[in-house]
Amino acid sequence: MDETLPASVAETHIGTVFFTGDLAYKVKKPVHNGFLDFRTRSAREQVCHREVELNRRFAPDVYLGVADVTGPNGELCDHLVVMRRMDPATRLSHLVRTGADVSGVLREVARRLAAWHSVAPRGPEISAAGTRDAVADRWAASFEQTREHGLPAAPEIERLAMRFLAGRAELFDHRIADGRVVDGHGDLIADDVFCLPDGPRILDCLEFDDELRYLDGLDDAAFLAMDLERLRAAGSARTFLDAYAEFSADPAPAALRHHYVAYRAFVRAKVACLRAAQGGADAAALARHFAEIALRHLRAGTVTMVLVGGLPGTGKSTLAGALADQLGWTLLSSDRIRKELAGISPQQSASAEYRAGIYSEEFTQRTYAKLTERAVALMKLGECVVLDASWTAQEQRRLALELAGDSHADVVALQCRAPAEITADRIRARVGDVSDADEQISLAMGAAQDPWPESTVVNTAAGLKATLEHALETVRPYGSEHLWPQVP
């Protein structure tokens, strides 16, 4: 480090850091703000030692020890964490703001974080902090602590966060069973990552409350991703989360990424609210900015079931496949499930008269029941689904809506239509298609279909590009579905 750096002081809501020469000295403020209590000297001493112990897991050559502060008569007054001083020009946040290429650094940070998570302590007490109810309790505490500050976005944030959690207990149980809940960093932001020639140093893990450091590894990584987005570096945020998923072999659904990024943003909104109450300049505006990030990700992470329906030849399967590919969502096809239930390959013909063979009413009911059953199982695990089927019967749609409601998921209905001459040409042009419907079957289905007034009509005669754009605007009106694409 450049030893010519001047002496300086930095302050946070819970401490003050004094910089002189090549050392930094951190003192804890005697504060009590609802989630920590540093009012006694013994409490501050304990947390200083704990900070050194925990942070040596990430940066052992930076955290040098704890020093006592004595008064003029030798009495013990307080305690300081003694650290190797880092050059602020090497902060990740500074490099991001100045437009430096940090992709390599972010991959290394992701690798080190994933490496720690792979060996981090686990156990019943730690796992308990990763349950759906525990995560909900942390959200609830943050909502309560910020309620009096009147954040405009807070009511919708609370509604969306709690709705996601209500239907996802199985997802969180699965994460625990897979060993994803660990003793992590807990407070990973770009200001606390220093990019040195021999590799990054990750500082300032959360030391004052062990339970707040017990978390899903993706939650840990999402904090830095959120902070990079705060710095208007969404591409870097994606790079980091994708690298973390790669190094940790984490198959988490995109919705869970969004949820944890939103949670971390709201935690920072809460901290900014506390700073605002202490008179911090621009803290109120920063709280609103973090709340906006949280809201954007909760909207993007809403678990959704898309019903793509229509008569044969209307292009519903083409649109459903393109929509699923574009969003990275799971595609489920009634035609494929129907033939699976019949024990035949998807391309094997099973053509029959209208409502005969494997297209009888009874077999069709079995097909739609299996289709929605699989969709619900995926949605409980945080996956969004696109269901490709005709959806001509009101009862089939009612069942899907009911099950999606039980899963606390949104439902979007898209009804594909095209002129008769176009649908007829498409049907005649099929070769080796999974669908067995011909023009006569299409006419019979059209005569028997129930009205679908709640659907959005999509004119597929306009071409796939225009059709897909229309569908995307309907499915994700906020346009933020690509913030954190899931790694294939």
Side-chain angles (χ1 to χ4, degrees):
M1 191 201 74
D2 184 357
E3 296 187 3
T4 64
L5 288 172
S8 62
V9 178
E11 186 176 359
T12 71
H13 62 294
I14 64 172
T16 303
V17 186
F18 302 91
F19 300 95
T20 178
D22 60 356
L23 295 177
Y25 303 90
K26 182 186 295 187
V27 62
K28 307 295 182 183
K29 290 181 179 179
V31 295
H32 179 223
N33 57 17
F35 59 89
L36 55 80
D37 186 352
F38 292 166
R39 289 175 293 182
T40 67
R41 182 191 60 75
S42 61
R44 296 192 295 276
E45 178 184 22
Q46 181 179 2
V47 80
C48 282
H49 283 283
R50 189 68 170 148
E51 178 176 353
V52 170
E53 175 190 357
L54 293 170
N55 278 288
R56 282 178 172 169
R57 304 178 308 178
F58 299 97
D61 62 340
V62 174
Y63 286 81
L64 305 180
V66 177
D68 296 334
V69 179
T70 57
N73 297 319
E75 70 274 18
L76 189 58
C77 299
D78 219 323
H79 309 273
L80 300 169
V81 173
V82 183
M83 303 171 61
R84 172 185 168 195
R85 186 178 183 180
M86 297 287 102
D87 185 344
T90 66
R91 284 185 189 273
L92 176 59
S93 54
H94 172 75
L95 296 175
V96 169
R97 288 190 181 99
T98 56
D101 181 3
V102 296
S103 56
V105 170
L106 290 175
R107 281 189 61 82
E108 181 59 19
V109 172
R111 187 192 67 78
R112 293 189 183 195
L113 186 65
W116 167 251
H117 289 164
S118 70
V119 298
R122 290 165 171 79
E125 182 180 4
I126 294 172
S127 293
T131 64
R132 186 272 311 273
D133 291 347
V135 174
D137 287 345
R138 288 200 292 276
W139 272 106
S142 290
F143 291 134
E144 191 59 35
Q145 289 161 1
T146 56
R147 212 173 297 283
E148 65 184 69
H149 298 278
L151 283 172
E156 188 178 357
I157 290 171
E158 184 169 6
R159 179 183 67 82
L160 291 174
M162 293 308 183
R163 184 167 181 252
F164 176 86
L165 292 169
R168 250 47 67 192
E170 192 170 323
L171 168 62
F172 287 89
D173 290 345
H174 181 77
R175 301 287 293 178
I176 291 171
D178 198 32
R180 296 291 175 184
V181 179
V182 299
D183 182 338
H185 186 282
D187 195 23
L188 185 56
I189 60 174
D191 275 352
D192 294 333
V193 176
F194 292 84
C195 307
L196 306 187
D198 59 343
R201 301 299 193 276
I202 302 171
L203 310 187
D204 285 343
C205 82
L206 196 152
E207 81 285 345
F208 55 80
D209 187 335
D210 286 348
E211 290 189 4
L212 294 179
R213 209 179 52 256
Y214 298 162
L215 75 182
D216 191 304
L218 180 59
D219 184 1
D220 218 8
F223 209 149
L224 181 55
M226 174 278 302
D227 202 43
L228 290 166
E229 185 177 344
R230 174 187 66 85
L231 295 169
R232 309 193 186 283
S236 293
R238 286 193 295 271
T239 294
F240 174 68
L241 274 187
D242 287 347
Y244 176 78
E246 174 189 342
F247 290 123
S248 61
D250 189 346
L256 189 62
R257 284 189 178 194
H258 283 299
H259 188 82
Y260 279 136
V261 170
Y263 170 68
R264 287 302 166 185
F266 200 75
V267 167
R268 297 306 295 175
K270 173 180 69 176
V271 172
C273 285
L274 296 173
R275 288 299 305 276
Q278 294 176 352
D282 300 325
L286 185 60
R288 290 192 296 272
H289 177 55
F290 278 123
E292 289 166 1
I293 293 174
L295 180 56
R296 185 162 63 248
H297 280 277
L298 286 170
R299 285 170 172 170
T302 299
V303 175
T304 304
M305 171 193 285
V306 183
L307 310 183
V308 183
L311 296 173
T314 56
K316 62 178 178 59
S317 294
T318 299
L319 176 59
L323 189 62
D325 287 345
Q326 184 75 12
L327 296 172
W329 294 0
T330 301
L331 174 65
L332 297 174
S333 164
S334 64
D335 285 331
R336 290 181 177 277
I337 288 175
R338 187 187 299 271
K339 291 189 174 180
E340 177 189 319
L341 292 174
I344 61 178
S345 70
Q347 279 70 41
Q348 183 177 337
S349 175
S351 59
E353 297 293 326
Y354 179 56
R355 291 182 175 173
I358 69 170
Y359 295 94
S360 68
E361 289 193 40
E362 179 185 356
F363 209 96
T364 295
Q365 288 176 359
R366 285 180 58 199
T367 299
Y368 276 84
K370 179 62 70 174
L371 179 71
T372 51
E373 176 188 324
R374 289 185 181 175
V376 167
L378 288 166
M379 290 189 295
K380 287 181 178 179
L381 293 174
E383 300 285 356
C384 296
V385 293
V386 178
L387 306 189
D388 168 22
S390 298
W391 298 110
T392 53
Q394 184 179 19
E395 178 59 23
Q396 296 161 355
R397 304 191 298 260
R398 185 200 63 76
L399 174 63
L401 286 169
E402 181 180 300
L403 293 175
D406 292 343
S407 301
H408 300 272
D410 280 359
V411 177
V412 179
L414 303 176
Q415 184 180 182
C416 295
R417 290 183 184 172
E421 61 272 17
I422 291 179
T423 62
D425 287 344
R426 288 172 176 170
I427 291 172
R428 286 194 293 269
R430 287 173 174 169
V431 177
D433 193 84
V434 66
S435 174
D436 294 316
D438 58 21
E439 293 177 65
Q440 295 304 313
I441 297 293
S442 179
L443 289 172
M445 290 175 64
Q449 68 179 337
D450 294 327
W452 198 0
E454 67 274 21
S455 66
T456 296
V457 175
V458 180
N459 177 16
T460 64
L464 181 57
K465 181 179 179 181
T467 301
L468 180 58
E469 288 177 356
H470 185 191
L472 287 169
E473 289 171 0
T474 304
V475 173
R476 279 291 187 255
Y478 298 106
S480 55
E481 64 277 358
H482 303 302
L483 286 171
W484 313 123
Q486 186 175 2
V487 176

